[in-house]
């Protein structure tokens, strides 16, 4: 799935408080807060999962009446039957109550309707049959809440009914002796119990009332199986039940379960919730789907090992048959959707087919909902009668939708995420029309393909120790998912397709080369990973091989790395052009990014490194020394499929000597300059202008405005200014001067997500855009070297109209910048003076300290001279082929090459040309400042 991503955020003060209070890591503290446990007492209770946290069953409505009626039946020796459903929830509920009544020395019988001839829930024929057999009390499990007519029939036939169910009640509920359904209560901890959880509450109440001192905890293995398999939220009471039950399940004494676990290689395996959801649950369900639920019930009840083995093998065989039938129907359903364009735009998918196996259409609905990312209903027709199964997606309430269409249905039931229905064929058109109309009105409530992650994680935070700590959050499942992390800008290497159809891929992630796997990976990644870095949504997992344990990542989704504004609100933003760059690389073509000058290039460079692999990026500008630049030029001339970052002045210099390579198709202009300055008159390349800069207005500001209201971004480019700001505002976050790109990302995200209000910046792109509001402030504490440095601050800001930027630097800051540019880009006279001085030494090689050489030149020139000017002059001389030099610490070695009688044509130096452009850009900026009358 590639779609919108969302990363949860929480206050770091809360994280630190919980971490310190419970002596846990910040990662675990944040995960607990994201799950709604910011309070230390609540978080500790969540982690402990004590049985003492279980709610008194008699607090549920109808429980006392149910227990009193059952006790009366036991005392009178009445025949009791438990009526269940044919899925794992119903099966385990039946077994639980049968064993409960056996412990009360009053054995009962059970009845589970046939899925194919009777359908879901109570039916009148079954009620009549049971009444004829002499049953005077019928107890439903996992069904019955919508069986108004069936309960009335039971009364007329002299049979009382107790309903235990967890499905959503309708406005009119059956006139039963007692109804126990947590959705009739206002108790948060039990509202999401599965059907087996309600049956367990009844069993607990019965043992307390009838056999004081006895315990119902012996049935937690059944509760765990059904709770996980029914995909109810594993929070509150469900979490406690499953946490305790998993321990019992690992050491089960049930002969049938032992045999099933042996058949599925789970013996001596630390059973977790996913083993139930993907291994045990489907096999238990296969009985009711493919043949009869009785097979699964007898497997759970048997005390004979041979019979357990026979039934376990049969269930595994039925499960294989189920998968085959399911795959066939799924393919037919997908084809039905894909050949019908109108259905592809429906808010709720509806597919139907004659005699589709009713036992698997629910699973098919789930797979279709996941594939097409919308609610799905699958209907199977038998002559003119249709039975359907529905699965939701993204928070769409299926029960409400079916209730809206109830006039076109013969019956329906279920809850928000899953439901069943039946209808006559002639009702289909009106049902379809009403359903789509309801979907269009309510589809805005669906988050669609939104993937929610718990938090961002750095590669160095991922470890086996962290995985072990996260296990205290088990059991994972609905409502308490496996922690999902965002790992940004990671390289993927050693990709290998695996699986019978090569549908999965294994790889290594990041600099540490952590093993990772993605199941059901999409197509196209193989080529892309050669060029891009990726943002990954990952789960931490354990890989065990030959007794060795290693951390492994499960990749749930991935997307080519792009800088983000508050993470992933939109994938495009200012960086949609990156996709075009990627496409060019895939076609083995070079890409040229041209910047106004070198300083603008350096501010974009971190962002390009964030998105692409190191080996894909080449720098082609005058700041490089000639022997370094020559190698890159050669790669460019050969048309190497890499990203070349260059400047206007260098491209003009290059084009006087060489033509653009034929393979080059796309040139991206990264500033305001004429296209012809890059392409000349040929114009045979595709040009894309990327960023013009936002409209800003410069106004006079005061230092006191820093953090007066909202958040403040303060620009500075001098170490002295940065030091003073840090002294005056010790709580400020400082990215200015920070060389670690990951640290820059962390600081920007911290200013977004925390209460810290000041960021001291130098205008570099950091891969994380800053969404500022009208209450926030942008301040210039130093004079930038050009408008592009402001662009680096304002790009991606979520503001309307002109962005006001407050100037608090004095005019002497402008003078300082101008003088600094003269030092790093000396004029021709100063370069010639350095050349003449070195030539007079008449040495082929000079090797001495930079400090002593500078002192000599000061004396010789009889004016101030700095090491900056020396190194800049040497760079220009190297460009002109007059020398080579190497700096090692404070010592410099200069080797001369035929300097006698050489003319100094300084305009042949790319470095000198870069300086001319930077000075020109600064002059334009200085003129703009004067026009704004800041001083």
């Amino acid at each position: 799935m590639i779609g919108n991503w969302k990363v949860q955020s929480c206050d770091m003060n809360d994280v630190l408080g919980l971490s310190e209070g419970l002596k846990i890591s910040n990662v675990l503290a944040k995960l607990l807060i994201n799950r709604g446990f910011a309070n230390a007492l609540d978080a500790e209770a969540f982690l402990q999962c004590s049985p003492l946290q279980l709610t008194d069953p008699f607090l549920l409505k109808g429980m006392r009446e149910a227990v009193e009626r059952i006790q009366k039946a036991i005392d009178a020796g009445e025949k009791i039957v438990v009526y269940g459903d044919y899925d794992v929830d119903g099966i385990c509920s039946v077994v639980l109550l049968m064993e409960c009544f056996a412990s009360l020395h009053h054995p009962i019988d059970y009845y589970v309707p046939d899925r194919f001839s009777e359908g879901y829930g109570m039916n009148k024929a079954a009620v009549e049959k049971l009444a004829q057999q002499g049953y005077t009390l019928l107890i439903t499990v996992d069904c019955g809440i919508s069986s108004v007519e069936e309960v009335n029939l039971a009364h007329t036939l002299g049979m009382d009914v107790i309903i235990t169910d967890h499905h959503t009640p309708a406005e009119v509920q059956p006139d039963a002796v007692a109804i126990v359904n947590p959705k009739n209560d206002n108790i948060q901890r039990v509202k999401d119990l599965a059907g087996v959880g309600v049956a367990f509450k009844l069993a607990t109440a019965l043992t307390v009332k009838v056999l004081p001192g006895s315990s119902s905890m012996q049935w937690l293995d059944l509760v765990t199986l059904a709770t996980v398999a029914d995909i109810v939220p594993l929070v509150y009471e469900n979490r406690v039940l499953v946490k305790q039950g998993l321990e019992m399940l690992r050491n089960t004494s049930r002969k049938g379960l032992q045999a099933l676990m042996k058949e599925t290689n789970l013996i001596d395996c630390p059973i977790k919730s996913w083993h139930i959801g993907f291994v045990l649950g489907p096999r238990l369900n296969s009985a009711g789907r493919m043949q009869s639920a009785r097979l699964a019930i007898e497997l759970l009840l048997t005390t004979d090992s041979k019979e357990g083995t026979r039934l376990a093998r049969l269930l595994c065989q039925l499960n294989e048959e189920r998968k085959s039938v399911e795959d066939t129907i799924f393919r037919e359903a997908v084809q039905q959707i894909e050949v019908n364009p109108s259905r592809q735009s429906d808010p709720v998918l509806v597919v139907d087919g004659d005699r589709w196996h009713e036992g698997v259409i629910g699973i098919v609905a789930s797979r279709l909902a996941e594939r097409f990312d919308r609610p799905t209903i699958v209907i199977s027709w038998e002559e003119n009668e249709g039975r359907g199964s529905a699965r939701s997606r993204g928070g769409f309430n299926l029960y409400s939708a079916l209730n809206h269409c109830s006039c076109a249905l013969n019956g329906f039931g279920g809850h928000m995420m899953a439901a069943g229905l039946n209808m006559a064929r002639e009702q289909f058109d009106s049902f379809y029309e009403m359903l789509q109309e309801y979907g269009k009105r309510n589809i805005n409530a669906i988050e669609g393909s939104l993937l929610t992650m718990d938090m961002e994680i750095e590669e160095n935070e991922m470890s086996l120790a962290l995985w072990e700590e996260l296990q205290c959050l088990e059991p994972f499942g609905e409502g308490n998912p496996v922690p999902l992390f965002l790992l940004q800008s990671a390289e993927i290497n050693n990709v290998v397709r695996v699986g019978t159809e090569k549908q999965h891929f294994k790889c290594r992630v990041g600099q540490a080369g952590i093993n990772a796997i993605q199941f059901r990976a999409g197509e196209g990644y193989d080529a892309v990973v050669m060029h891009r870095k990726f943002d990954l949504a990952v789960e931490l997992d354990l890989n065990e091989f030959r007794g060795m344990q290693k951390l492994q990542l499960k990749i749930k989704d991935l997307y080519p790395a792009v800088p983000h504004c508050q993470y992933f609100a939109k994938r495009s933003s200012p960086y949609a052009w990156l996709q075009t760059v990627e496409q060019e690389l895939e076609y083995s073509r070079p890409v040229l990014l041209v910047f106004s000058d070198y300083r603008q290039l350096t501010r974009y460079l971190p962002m390009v490194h964030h998105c692409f692999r190191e080996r894909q990026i080449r720098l082609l500008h005058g700041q490089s020394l000639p022997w370094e630049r020559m190698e890159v030029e050669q790669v460019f001339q050969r048309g190497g499929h890499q990203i070349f970052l260059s400047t206007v002045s260098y491209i003009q210099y290059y084009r006087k000597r060489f033509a653009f390579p034929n393979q080059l198709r796309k040139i991206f202009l990264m500033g305001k300059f004429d296209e012809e300055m890059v392409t000349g008159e040929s114009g045979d390349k595709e040009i894309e202008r990327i960023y013009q800069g936002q409209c800003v207005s410069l106004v006079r500001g005061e230092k006191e405005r820093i953090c007066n209201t909202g958040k403040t971004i303060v620009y500075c480019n001098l170490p002295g200014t940065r030091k003073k700001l840090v002294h005056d505002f010790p709580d400020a976050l400082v990215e200015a001067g920070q060389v670690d790109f990951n640290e820059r990302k962390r600081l920007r995200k911290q200013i977004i997500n925390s209460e810290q209000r000041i960021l001291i910046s130098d205008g570099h792109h950091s891969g994380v855009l800053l969404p500022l509001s009208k209450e926030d402030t942008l301040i210039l504490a130093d004079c930038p070297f050009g408008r592009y440095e402001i662009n680096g601050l304002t790009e991606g800001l979520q503001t309307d109209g002109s962005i006001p930027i407050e100037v608090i630097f004095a005019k002497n800051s402008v003078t300082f910048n101008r003088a600094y540019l003269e030092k790093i880009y000396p004029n021709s006279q100063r370069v010639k003076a350095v050349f003449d001085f070195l030539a007079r030494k008449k040495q082929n090689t000079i090797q001495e300290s930079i400090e002593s050489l500078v002192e000599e030149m000061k004396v010789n020139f009889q004016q101030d001279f700095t090491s900056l000017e020396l190194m800049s002059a040497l760079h220009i001389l190297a460009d002109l082929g007059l020398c080579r030099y190497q700096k090692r610490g404070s010592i410099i070695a200069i080797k001369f090459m035929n300097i006698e009688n050489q003319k100094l044509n300084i305009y042949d130096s790319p470095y000198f040309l870069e300086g001319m452009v930077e000075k020109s850009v600064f002059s334009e900026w200085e003129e703009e400042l004067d026009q704004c009358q800041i001083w």
Side-chain angles (χ1 to χ4, degrees):
M1 180 193 82
I2 294 182
N4 292 323
W5 289 1
K6 175 185 175 183
V7 181
Q8 297 188 71
S9 62
C10 56
D11 193 299
M12 278 305 297
N13 292 325
D14 293 339
V15 173
L16 295 173
L18 191 60
S19 173
E20 185 176 344
L22 297 183
K23 306 304 179 188
I24 57 178
S25 70
N26 289 348
V27 173
L28 182 56
K30 190 166 187 178
L31 292 171
L32 286 166
I33 292 171
N34 287 346
R35 281 157 169 74
F37 302 101
N39 179 282
L41 290 176
D42 293 339
E44 189 171 24
F46 179 83
L47 294 175
Q48 286 181 346
C49 280
S50 168
L52 297 175
Q53 299 170 14
L54 295 177
T55 306
D56 182 348
F58 286 102
L59 293 178
L60 274 68
K61 292 177 182 177
M63 185 63 76
R64 292 193 182 277
E65 293 82 353
V67 171
E68 288 172 4
R69 179 63 184 89
I70 292 171
Q71 193 166 23
K72 177 183 174 183
I74 292 174
D75 293 341
E78 296 181 47
K79 286 186 69 176
I80 303 173
V81 63
V82 59
Y83 191 113
D85 187 20
Y86 35 66
D87 65 1
V88 177
D89 196 9
I91 290 165
C92 290
S93 300
V94 166
V95 174
L96 190 155
L97 283 193
M98 289 187 69
E99 292 184 352
C100 172
F101 276 90
S103 72
L104 299 178
H105 309 294
H106 190 90
I108 62 173
D109 297 313
Y110 72 90
Y111 186 90
V112 175
D114 181 80
R115 179 192 292 265
F116 311 104
S117 61
E118 298 177 86
Y120 168 80
M122 294 178 68
N123 65 83
K124 292 178 181 179
V127 170
E128 291 175 349
K129 182 166 68 173
L130 292 170
Q132 290 170 5
Q133 292 174 357
Y135 295 102
T136 55
L137 179 60
L138 181 150
I139 305 171
T140 73
V141 287
D142 193 33
C143 65
I145 195 63
S146 60
S147 303
V148 175
E149 294 182 5
E150 289 80 4
V151 171
N152 289 338
L153 175 62
H155 285 329
T156 63
L157 296 175
M159 185 164 55
D160 285 343
V161 178
I162 293 173
I163 293 174
T164 72
D165 200 354
H166 72 123
H167 295 98
T168 305
E171 288 185 21
V172 178
Q173 297 187 32
D175 185 20
V177 170
I179 296 177
V180 183
N181 186 330
K183 291 191 171 53
N184 284 329
D185 296 274
N186 190 27
I187 304 174
Q188 174 71 30
R189 293 192 59 79
V190 297
K191 73 180 182 69
D192 289 318
L193 286 175
V196 75
V198 184
F200 174 76
K201 286 295 182 184
L202 177 60
T204 303
L206 282 171
T207 54
V208 168
K209 191 73 172 176
V210 180
L211 288 177
S214 60
S215 173
S216 59
M217 303 300 282
Q218 60 187 298
W219 299 302
L220 285 187
D221 56 346
L222 296 171
V223 176
T224 298
L225 276 172
T227 299
V228 174
D230 214 49
I231 320 179
V232 294
L234 294 188
V235 295
Y236 299 113
E237 198 126 320
N238 286 337
R239 173 175 169 78
V240 177
L241 295 170
V242 173
K243 181 89 168 182
Q244 300 296 323
L246 281 172
E247 293 298 324
M248 289 185 60
L249 200 55
R250 290 168 188 143
N251 303 293
T252 183
S253 60
R254 296 181 185 277
K255 301 300 183 182
L257 267 184
Q258 288 177 353
L260 187 59
M261 291 164 67
K262 184 176 181 180
E263 289 294 318
T264 53
N265 299 314
L266 293 184
I267 292 293
D268 299 326
C269 177
I271 303 295
K272 296 193 176 182
S273 52
W274 75 267
H275 291 110
I276 298 172
F278 295 98
V279 182
L280 299 176
R283 285 161 176 78
L284 291 170
N285 257 329
S286 67
R289 293 187 186 281
M290 306 303 294
Q291 202 171 108
S292 170
R294 284 182 171 272
L295 296 173
I297 293 173
E298 296 304 323
L299 176 128
L300 294 174
L301 287 172
T302 187
T303 56
D304 182 85
S305 297
K306 289 184 178 179
E307 178 66 4
T309 299
R310 183 187 72 82
L311 290 169
R313 288 175 178 171
L314 179 56
L315 291 185
C316 289
Q317 179 184 332
L318 291 175
N319 191 54
E320 291 302 312
E321 292 177 16
R322 184 269 306 170
K323 287 193 286 187
S324 177
V325 173
E326 173 196 325
D327 287 342
T328 300
I329 296 175
F330 178 74
R331 286 193 294 269
E332 291 177 9
V334 169
Q335 184 179 16
Q336 189 178 127
I337 295 166
E338 291 180 343
V339 300
N340 194 334
S342 63
R343 289 200 178 183
Q344 295 179 32
S345 59
D346 286 344
V348 182
L349 279 179
V350 180
V351 292
D352 61 324
D354 289 329
R355 293 182 176 82
W356 277 352
H357 198 295
E358 294 174 29
V360 302
I361 58 175
I363 309 177
V364 172
S366 293
R367 291 177 62 182
L368 292 172
E370 181 178 2
R371 173 160 179 162
F372 294 97
D373 200 31
R374 73 192 78 173
T376 302
I377 298 176
V378 179
I379 299 172
S380 173
W381 299 107
E382 186 70 36
E383 302 300 336
N384 291 320
E385 182 183 358
R387 288 182 178 170
S389 192
R391 296 294 183 270
S392 188
R393 189 78 173 167
F396 183 79
N397 193 320
L398 273 176
Y399 185 86
S400 296
L402 295 181
N403 189 50
H404 174 78
C405 310
S406 59
C407 62
L409 298 173
N410 293 338
F412 72 95
H415 47 79
M416 178 176 171
M417 298 303 293
L421 58 93
N422 55 72
M423 70 168 73
R425 196 185 284 267
E426 69 234 23
Q427 296 171 311
F428 180 80
D429 289 342
S430 63
F431 165 75
Y432 182 86
E433 186 177 335
M434 282 189 287
L435 179 69
Q436 302 308 330
E437 178 265 331
Y438 180 89
K440 288 174 183 175
R441 285 192 287 107
N442 292 275
I443 209 70
N444 290 336
I446 301 177
E447 292 182 320
S449 57
L450 185 68
L451 183 66
T452 300
M453 284 167 279
D454 289 278
M455 60 183 289
E456 183 177 355
I457 195 168
E458 300 293 340
E459 184 180 336
N460 59 11
E461 293 180 287
M462 298 187 300
S463 66
L464 203 55
L466 177 60
W467 176 86
E468 290 172 350
E469 185 183 27
L470 297 184
Q471 299 318 293
C472 68
L473 295 175
E474 285 269 19
F476 297 122
E478 185 72 19
N480 182 40
V482 177
L484 188 61
F485 298 99
L486 165 64
L487 178 62
Q488 285 202 67
S489 191
E491 287 193 7
I492 294 178
N493 295 299
N494 304 109
V495 176
V496 178
R497 288 276 175 175
V498 295
T500 53
E501 298 178 1
K502 304 299 182 185
Q503 68 272 39
H504 320 304
F505 79 64
K506 286 186 175 181
C507 60
R508 291 185 177 272
V509 168
Q511 295 180 349
I514 303 173
N515 286 325
I517 188 167
Q518 184 180 23
F519 296 103
R520 295 187 297 277
E523 297 178 359
Y525 291 137
D526 301 49
V528 174
V529 297
M530 298 297 293
H531 314 297
R532 294 298 298 267
K533 291 181 181 178
F534 277 78
D535 295 329
L536 307 176
V538 298
E539 295 174 355
L540 303 191
D541 194 24
L542 181 69
N543 180 272
E544 294 188 74
F545 183 69
R546 293 180 179 174
M548 296 289 291
Q549 293 185 335
K550 287 187 177 181
L551 182 71
Q552 176 178 271
L553 304 181
K554 282 185 180 178
I555 301 174
K556 309 303 288 186
D557 197 7
L558 70 167
Y559 198 91
V562 293
H564 311 295
C565 179
Q566 190 55 13
Y567 300 109
F568 311 90
K570 278 193 175 179
R571 290 290 186 178
S572 53
S573 66
Y575 298 114
W577 55 275
L578 288 168
Q579 186 174 357
T580 309
V581 173
E582 179 186 321
Q583 290 170 351
E584 291 298 292
L585 295 177
E586 286 185 41
Y587 285 118
S588 299
R589 293 197 288 254
V591 178
L592 181 62
L593 310 183
V594 183
F595 297 85
S596 300
D597 61 16
Y598 175 72
R599 292 181 71 87
Q600 187 202 18
L601 183 155
T602 61
R603 273 141 183 78
Y604 262 89
L605 188 56
M607 184 270 292
V608 178
H609 277 294
H610 175 87
C611 299
F612 293 93
R613 291 170 176 263
E614 195 75 27
R615 63 174 180 266
Q616 296 296 138
I617 302 167
R618 296 281 189 151
L619 304 182
L620 196 58
H621 51 68
Q623 291 281 344
S624 301
L625 289 166
W627 46 91
E628 297 168 346
R629 195 170 57 239
M630 186 180 302
E631 178 187 348
V632 181
E633 282 180 342
Q634 290 172 352
V635 176
F636 185 57
Q637 290 167 41
R638 292 196 302 267
H641 54 288
Q642 293 173 306
I643 306 168
F644 296 87
L645 281 70
S646 191
T647 61
V648 171
S649 66
Y650 188 79
I651 288 301
Q652 291 177 323
Y653 168 82
Y654 174 90
R655 291 187 68 254
K656 289 179 181 177
R657 300 157 60 230
F658 308 107
F660 283 140
N662 293 331
Q663 298 93 328
L664 179 67
R665 292 288 181 270
K666 295 282 293 189
I667 301 177
F668 295 89
L669 307 184
M670 311 299 288
K672 286 187 175 181
F673 46 84
D674 291 337
E675 184 178 310
E676 287 189 4
M677 295 176 68
V678 174
T679 62
E681 297 179 359
S682 61
D684 61 340
K685 306 298 180 186
E686 295 180 32
I687 303 296
E688 187 171 336
R689 190 176 295 278
I690 298 307
Y691 185 62
Q692 301 289 348
Q694 294 190 354
C695 179
V696 301
S697 57
L698 300 174
V699 297
R700 185 64 194 169
E702 302 294 336
K703 184 179 178 182
E704 290 71 22
R705 283 274 295 146
I706 295 180
C707 214
N708 188 26
T709 58
K711 296 182 185 291
T712 305
I713 312 300
V714 186
Y715 167 87
C716 71
N717 56 33
L718 294 175
T721 306
R722 182 173 72 240
K723 185 176 180 180
K724 190 172 189 314
L725 286 168
V726 170
H727 177 270
D728 294 343
F729 304 99
D731 292 333
L733 301 175
V734 185
E735 74 168 13
Q738 176 59 250
V739 296
D740 187 327
F741 180 65
N742 286 329
E743 181 64 13
R744 281 181 174 265
K745 286 195 302 177
R746 188 189 68 79
L747 291 169
R748 287 210 168 194
K749 286 161 189 169
Q750 194 171 339
I751 200 72
I752 292 171
N753 296 321
S754 72
E755 293 182 355
Q756 286 166 299
R757 300 168 62 190
I758 304 174
L759 178 70
I760 301 172
S761 175
D762 51 11
H764 281 65
H765 294 269
S766 298
V768 180
L769 305 179
L770 296 169
L772 300 185
S773 66
K774 292 181 179 179
E775 290 75 32
D776 301 326
T777 310
L778 286 170
I779 288 178
L780 302 181
D782 283 330
C783 178
F785 283 86
R787 171 174 274 274
Y788 56 81
E789 294 191 23
I790 292 179
N791 294 343
L793 291 175
T794 62
E795 189 170 27
L797 298 186
Q798 308 297 304
T799 55
D800 298 325
S802 178
I803 300 173
I805 299 184
E806 301 184 15
V807 175
I808 65 171
F809 60 81
K811 194 166 186 178
N812 61 7
S813 184
V814 180
T815 305
F816 177 89
N817 281 7
R818 193 187 315 117
Y820 176 76
L821 288 175
E822 289 298 332
K823 280 185 170 60
I824 62 170
Y825 297 116
N827 58 34
S828 57
Q829 290 81 9
R830 180 55 63 97
V831 175
K832 189 173 187 310
V834 171
F835 175 71
D836 291 341
F837 172 82
L838 295 173
R840 284 197 296 271
K841 283 182 172 285
K842 297 186 181 296
Q843 294 176 262
N844 288 332
T845 302
I846 296 175
Q847 183 167 328
E848 57 183 286
S849 74
I850 296 174
E851 183 180 357
S852 62
L853 201 54
V854 168
E855 288 299 321
E856 286 184 57
M857 291 184 179
K858 281 184 182 178
V859 173
N860 185 270
F861 299 153
Q862 295 186 346
Q863 58 181 277
D864 188 41
F865 189 73
T866 66
S867 58
L868 272 179
E869 292 174 282
L870 171 61
M871 299 308 297
S872 300
L874 286 175
H875 195 145
I876 293 170
L877 295 176
D879 278 350
L880 301 178
L882 300 177
C883 73
R884 289 179 70 113
Y885 64 89
Q886 187 173 22
K887 180 176 174 292
R888 291 180 179 174
S890 61
I891 305 299
I892 189 166
I894 308 168
K895 180 178 177 60
F896 296 99
M897 294 135 81
N898 302 320
I899 62 174
E900 293 182 6
N901 302 319
Q902 289 282 354
K903 290 187 177 180
L904 207 64
N905 188 357
I906 202 166
Y907 291 97
D908 286 339
S909 164
Y911 182 88
F912 182 80
L913 297 175
E914 295 279 14
M916 289 181 61
V917 172
E918 283 201 36
K919 290 176 184 178
S920 173
V921 168
F922 182 73
S923 294
E924 293 176 7
W925 169 242
E926 189 175 1
E927 185 178 329
E928 183 177 346
L929 286 170
D930 289 338
Q931 291 174 352
C932 292
Q933 299 181 341
I934 299 296
W935 302 282

